[in-house]
Each structure stands twice: as C-alpha cells, then as structure tokens.
C-alpha cells in the first residue's frame, strides 16, 4: 500500500531524456554520439586529447539549450510534490530534471551545465554563450584549466553515502530508462531490495537486471510514468 509517507527513491538514466531528443548511450553499438566511450568519457581520454573531449562536451552542453523536459520528467515532479519522502537520483548529466522542477535531486554522474577547475576543484555553473566555444576556459579563482564536471569511467560517482543511506531506508525503489549496465548504479536495485523495498523497473527494452525487479513495465517513460503517478497519488 502506497501512502503519503511512503519513502521513494527513484533512479533515472538516459532513457528518461530520450523523448526530449537526447540520445541514450547505447543507441548506436555502444558509441556515444559516434564516439568511443574510452575516447570521451575516461580520464585517460581527457589526458590523451583534451581538445576532442572538450569539444564533445561543449556540443552536449549546447544541445541543452535546444531540448525541453518531457512528460516523464514532469510526472516525477508531481510525485515529489505529493509524497513526503522522495529522492531522485539521476545518472543523467543533462539538466532536464531540474528544469522540469525536481528539487530533491542528486546528479551522481555530474552535470553538463557545470565546469570544474583541475587545480583547485572549484565548481562553477557556466552556460552563457561565451562559455560554449571551443577554446578552453580557466578558473575564476586560480586560472587553472576547467574540465567538464562529469564523472568519467574509473572516477568516483558523487554523493554515494547519501544515496546508499536513502536506498537502505526506502520502501519503494523505481529505476527508469537505465540499461542496468553501468555500475554502481546498476547495483542500487539490489541494495534497496536487500533492505526490504518494493522494486519497480520501467524501460523501453528489458534491462540487464530485469529479473531482479518485483515488477517490470516495458515502454516509454513519458507514456507509462504519468499513469503510475496518477495511480499512486489516488491510492
Ligand atoms: P543507457 O544508454 O545505457 O540505457 C538507456 C536505457 O533507456 C536503455 O535500456 C533503453 O532501452 C532505455 N530507453 C530508451 N528510450 C526510453 C524511453 N523513452 N523510456 C524508457 N526507457 C527508454 O543509459 P544509462 O543506463 O543511463 O547509462 C548511460 C550513462 O551515460 C550514464 O551514466 C549517463 O551519465 C550517460 N549519458 C547521459 C545522458 C543524458 O544525460 N541524457 C545521455 C547519454 C549518456
Ligand atoms: Zn581553480
């Protein structure tokens, strides 16, 4: 039985932003927008060819200005507004959840809209046109080079202690639009389940970990989620 006090943790992945026009990771044979993951999403890739990596993320950052949140993002805002205990954890680096109105939100893999100093680690929101070109930008504090504020493969995801605490306390865990290939996020289902949560998956294709969900619904997040949210709020 779902009640107003029910503790929710929601995990989203690239699939929830697909209907807004942002391509998912595994759309084209494991390539991300035609680039190999090692090339554009690892510290080694950045070291080997920073200009290529910089240009890649500048393109992703510019794309944010052309896309809008969809009904899936909006349904999660309704859920947060209604329930007292709600945490949204996203693997996405786009800003569509916050633009839709989500507040209790953790970007575990970082944010395209922010840049971070390689020297002093200062993080700055930088999305003006003057920040979206191909020239590297420098830190406002120490003039160090700025890098994307993104968690690359082999780097530590952000705010893991908070996420694990919420997972161990939640009563309902829902994973939406995530392939179940990327760890540690793919393991959240198991942590929540081990602590007694009811687990629900919503995805266009059956994810890698599909058999471990208590319930799985196959389809588009923007079509399925609004129905769920209505149902839960009415209960
Ligand atoms: P993924 O690309 O590995 O998997 C996406 C999943 O979403 C697939 O299983 C697919 O079947 C499903 N999907 C596609 N369209 C959907 C829809 N309309 N509704 C519901 N499900 C749909 O994505 P992932 O598991 O999030 O892992 C990819 C990694 O790549 C993440 O760590 C993320 O940081 C990064 N990434 C982010 C973005 C973004 O911010 N929008 C986009 C691409 C990649
Ligand atoms: Zn600095």
């Amino acid at each position: 039985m779902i009640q107003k006090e029910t503790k929710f943790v929601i995990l989203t992945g690239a699939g929830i932003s697909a209907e807004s026009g942002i391509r998912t990771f595994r759309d084209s044979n494991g390539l991300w927008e035609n680039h190999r993951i090692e090339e554009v999403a690892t510290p080694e890739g950045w070291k080997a060819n920073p200009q290529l990596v910089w240009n890649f993320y500048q393109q992703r950052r510019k794309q944010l200005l052309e896309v809008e949140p969809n009904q899936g993002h909006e349904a999660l805002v309704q859920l947060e507004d209604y329930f007292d205990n709600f945490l949204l954890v996203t693997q996405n680096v786009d800003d569509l959840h916050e633009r839709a109105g989500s507040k209790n939100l953790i970007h575990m893999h970082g944010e395209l809209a922010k840049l971070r100093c390689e020297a002093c680690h200062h993080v700055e929101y930088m999305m003006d046109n003057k920040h979206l070109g191909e020239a590297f930008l420098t830190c406002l504090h120490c003039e160090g080079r700025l890098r994307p504020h993104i968690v690359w493969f082999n780097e530590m995801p952000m705010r893991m202690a908070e996420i694990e605490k919420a997972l161990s306390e939640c009563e309902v865990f829902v994973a939406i639009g995530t392939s179940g290939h990327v760890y540690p996020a793919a393991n959240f289902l198991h942590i929540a389940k081990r602590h007694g949560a009811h687990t629900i998956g919503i995805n266009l294709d059956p994810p890698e970990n599909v058999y471990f969900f208590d319930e799985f619904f196959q389809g588009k997040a923007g079509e399925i989620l609004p129905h769920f949210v209505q149902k839960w709020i009415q209960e």
Side-chain angles (χ1 to χ4, degrees):
M1 267 300 275
I2 289 184
Q3 294 165 325
K4 213 171 174 309
E5 308 74 46
T6 299
K7 294 179 177 144
F8 277 89
V9 173
I10 312 281
L11 171 69
T12 61
I16 198 162
S17 296
E19 289 159 79
S20 294
I22 301 182
R23 287 164 75 175
T24 62
F25 225 172
R26 268 157 253 273
D27 269 352
S28 36
N29 313 323
L31 297 181
W32 191 3
E33 300 275 355
N34 300 321
H35 288 274
R36 287 188 306 116
I37 303 308
E38 306 81 65
E39 216 169 53
V40 294
T42 61
E44 293 76 20
W46 172 245
K47 212 170 162 197
N49 193 343
Q51 189 68 60
L52 176 119
V53 177
W54 179 257
N55 292 352
F56 174 81
Y57 287 97
Q58 292 296 74
Q59 286 304 323
R60 308 276 76 71
R61 281 153 55 76
K62 277 190 214 158
Q63 188 191 23
L64 292 186
L65 306 177
E66 293 156 15
V67 294
E68 296 292 335
N70 65 55
Q71 291 189 327
H73 299 105
E74 282 157 15
L76 293 179
V77 178
Q78 274 185 288
L79 207 60
E80 176 169 9
D81 286 346
Y82 184 79
F83 289 98
D84 299 334
N85 293 290
F86 179 94
L87 174 66
L88 175 56
V89 180
T90 188
Q91 297 169 85
N92 293 346
V93 292
D94 67 53
D95 58 359
L96 294 178
H97 281 307
E98 52 269 46
R99 275 166 53 196
S102 289
K103 287 175 204 77
N104 201 10
L105 167 68
I106 295 181
H107 274 282
M108 65 177 287
H109 289 165
E111 297 170 60
L112 282 170
K114 294 178 180 171
L115 298 172
R116 178 167 89 239
C117 175
E118 288 188 290
C120 76
H121 310 297
H122 176 76
V123 176
E124 194 83 41
Y125 175 92
M126 286 183 146
M127 283 295 285
D128 285 340
N129 273 334
K130 64 178 190 288
H131 299 137
L132 294 171
E134 293 199 350
F136 288 114
L137 297 170
T138 50
C139 177
L140 304 172
H141 299 272
C142 79
E143 299 197 345
R145 185 174 65 177
L146 296 179
R147 59 161 275 179
H149 186 50
I150 300 286
V151 177
W152 288 323
F153 284 92
N154 302 329
E155 294 184 322
M156 188 64 91
M158 295 170 185
R159 298 171 67 181
M160 283 301 290
E162 273 171 85
I163 296 172
E164 281 173 11
K165 182 167 184 290
L167 287 169
S168 70
E169 292 170 353
C170 76
E171 295 161 297
V172 178
F173 170 79
V174 193
I176 306 157
T178 175
S179 60
H181 280 281
V182 179
Y183 283 83
N187 208 29
F188 291 176
L189 160 65
H190 303 287
I191 301 176
K193 218 175 144 80
R194 198 161 63 234
H195 287 89
H198 183 71
T199 57
I200 301 171
I202 298 172
N203 215 55
L204 191 57
D205 312 297
E208 184 76 4
N209 50 5
V210 63
Y211 297 111
F212 298 99
F213 286 101
D214 295 318
E215 297 180 85
F216 174 69
F217 300 88
Q218 187 162 2
K220 291 187 174 177
E223 290 169 8
I224 294 183
L225 264 179
H227 293 288
F228 261 106
V229 170
Q230 283 318 314
K231 182 174 154 256
W232 285 335
I233 289 177
Q234 274 156 19
E235 270 182 31

